[in-house]
């Protein structure tokens, strides 16, 4: 080979490697792959892509509701110095204890000031994403955890009123049971679905103040009110679908939609699932606060922040700008089933259920979700999931309470 040819070849290699280095990407990590949640994510990508057509979005999703698998993959990436540009994380403990206090995130307080967001988002949410005076994320949404979804036609067929408290729930459940229909569809495949149900039961039975204090470690898990909550949860199990151990949250929603079950208790990403499947609010499915929780709003908020070492930092910052913008919020939330985290957006893209959720958010007692990362550290949330997996089989309330107390003590929460 002549020297000239060799030189040309070397230059080509150099150019090719520069091109691949200069890839203009945005790597977004989430677990939004189910009906509704994926639609919301893609709508958000559309908004971003219209503003930044030259950027290639890498949709780094790991399937599994509530981050069952994604959270572990994210840990591997972050600890292995391979962060995405931005990732889905619940406001509250999951963001602050897992990622901020450990030094993995950049503060974005200046971005908040620049964008005027301090006047656009509710203070309760800002508190959930702040630490020592700095803000670390942008909330994409507000989901309500304590929501009951029901099949309108089934309730009409049996001429039943939708239950508003637990006594009514058990009475209604009995009617469906007599007619061979599981009253409550749940999936317990990933266990968090049971913790999800349990947090609604605790709020209903013991009230929001006790709920907060319990998860702050101020009460022993063995105390009678907790045992009572467990027993009531046990009674609910008498009315669920038999195949729950193999079912996921969205499959459980599918049962409700198809009339194979009457109700499900799930966050309002369920609404995203229903509407993505062409179901119409208040025609095919309806929603009320889960029994006994009227006036209480269990808050779930998905947020995105800026990990240190984000490979495409500028694109990541623009992603956060899009997410916090009116256009971003209103592209995403109507599809996701959530309400916007911003309080100043036009409400015309939202359905009747979302509008009433917005109203409730403004007046209800707000408490953070346990099953969705806000109220307690990850390790305890996982322990609770595991315990729920045992409880749904053993149904021994005292024993579960004792084990939970041991876990809380081992993790230094009590
Ligand atoms: C929650 C999350 C929601 C929804 C749900 C099911 O933890 O906050 O946005 O995705 O999991 O996957």
């Amino acid at each position: 080979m002549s020297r000239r040819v060799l030189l040309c070849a070397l230059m080509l290699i150099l150019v090719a490697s520069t091109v691949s280095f200069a890839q203009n990407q945005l790597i977004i990590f989430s677990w939004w792959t189910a009906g509704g949640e994926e639609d919301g994510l893609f709508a958000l990508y559309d908004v971003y892509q219209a503003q930044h057509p030259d950027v290639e979005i890498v949709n780094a999703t790991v399937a599994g509701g509530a981050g069952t698998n994604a959270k572990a993959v994210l840990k591997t990436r972050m600890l292995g110095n391979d962060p995405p540009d931005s990732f889905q994380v619940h406001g509250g403990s999951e963001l602050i204890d897992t990622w901020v206090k450990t030094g993995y995130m950049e503060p974005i307080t200046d971005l908040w000031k620049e964008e005027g967001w301090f006047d656009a988002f509710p203070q309760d949410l800002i508190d959930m994403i702040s630490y020592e005076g700095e803000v670390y994320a942008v909330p994409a949404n507000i989901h309500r955890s304590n929501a009951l979804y029901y099949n309108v036609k089934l309730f009409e067929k049996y001429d039943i009123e939708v239950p508003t408290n637990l006594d009514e729930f058990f009475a209604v459940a009995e009617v469906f049971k007599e007619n061979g229909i599981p009253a409550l569809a749940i999936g317990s495949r990933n266990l968090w679905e049971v913790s999800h149900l349990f947090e609604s039961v605790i709020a209903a039975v013991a009230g929001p103040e006790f709920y907060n204090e319990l998860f702050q470690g101020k009460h022993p898990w063995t105390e009678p009110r907790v045992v009572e909550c467990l027993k009531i949860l046990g009674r609910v199990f008498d009315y669920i679908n038999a195949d729950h151990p193999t079912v996921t949250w969205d499959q459980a929603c599918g049962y409700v939609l198809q009339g194979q079950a009457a109700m499900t208790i799930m966050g309002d990403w369920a609404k995203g699932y229903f509407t993505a499947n062409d179901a119409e609010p208040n025609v095919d499915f309806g929603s009320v606060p889960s029994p006994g929780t009227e006036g209480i709003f269990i808050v779930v908020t998905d947020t995105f922040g800026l990990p240190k070492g984000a490979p495409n930092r500028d694109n990541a910052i623009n992603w956060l700008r899009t997410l916090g913008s009116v256009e971003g919020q209103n592209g995403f939330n109507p599809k996701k089933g959530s309400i916007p985290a911003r309080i100043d957006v036009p409400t015309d893209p939202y359905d009747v259920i979302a509008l009433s959720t917005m109203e409730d958010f403004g007046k209800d007692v707000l408490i953070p979700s346990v099953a969705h990362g806000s109220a307690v550290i990850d390790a305890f949330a996982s322990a609770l999931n595991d315990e729920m997996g045992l409880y749904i089989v053993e149904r021994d309330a005292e024993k579960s309470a004792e084990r939970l107390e041991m876990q809380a003590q081992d993790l230094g929460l009590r």
Side-chain angles (χ1 to χ4, degrees), residues 31-32 37 65-66 88 90 143 192 249 269 300 302 336 372:
W31 59 83
W32 288 330
E37 47 183 32
Q88 176 190 0
H90 293 120
H143 272 303
W192 66 267
W249 72 267
W269 44 93
V300 179
D302 295 301
K336 183 67 172 67
H372 304 280

Side-chain angles (χ1 to χ4, degrees), residues 20-29 48 55-58 60 74 77-78 80-87 104-106 305-319:
S20 71
F21 265 85
Q23 266 175 352
N24 191 12
Q25 293 187 328
L26 171 73
I27 306 164
I28 298 300
F29 186 94
Y48 182 90
V55 176
E56 180 203 348
I57 299 178
V58 178
L74 179 67
R77 286 190 69 156
M78 294 287 280
N81 221 354
D82 175 30
D85 288 314
S86 192
F87 59 87
Y104 283 91
M105 305 300 285
E106 281 194 45
L306 184 62
K308 284 183 185 163
N312 306 279
R313 192 173 177 277
D314 290 349
N315 293 347
I317 291 172
N318 284 334
W319 160 258

Side-chain angles (χ1 to χ4, degrees), residues 31-34 37-38 63-68 71 88-90 94 141 143 192 196 249-250 266-270 300-303 332 336 338 369 371-373:
W31 59 83
W32 288 330
T33 57
E37 47 183 32
E38 185 181 63
T68 309
K71 287 187 197 175
Q88 176 190 0
V89 59
H90 293 120
E94 196 177 304
N141 59 5
H143 272 303
W192 66 267
H196 183 107
W249 72 267
D250 46 324
M266 191 36 67
D268 42 18
W269 44 93
V300 179
T301 180
D302 295 301
T303 76
F332 175 68
K336 183 67 172 67
S338 35
S369 169
H372 304 280

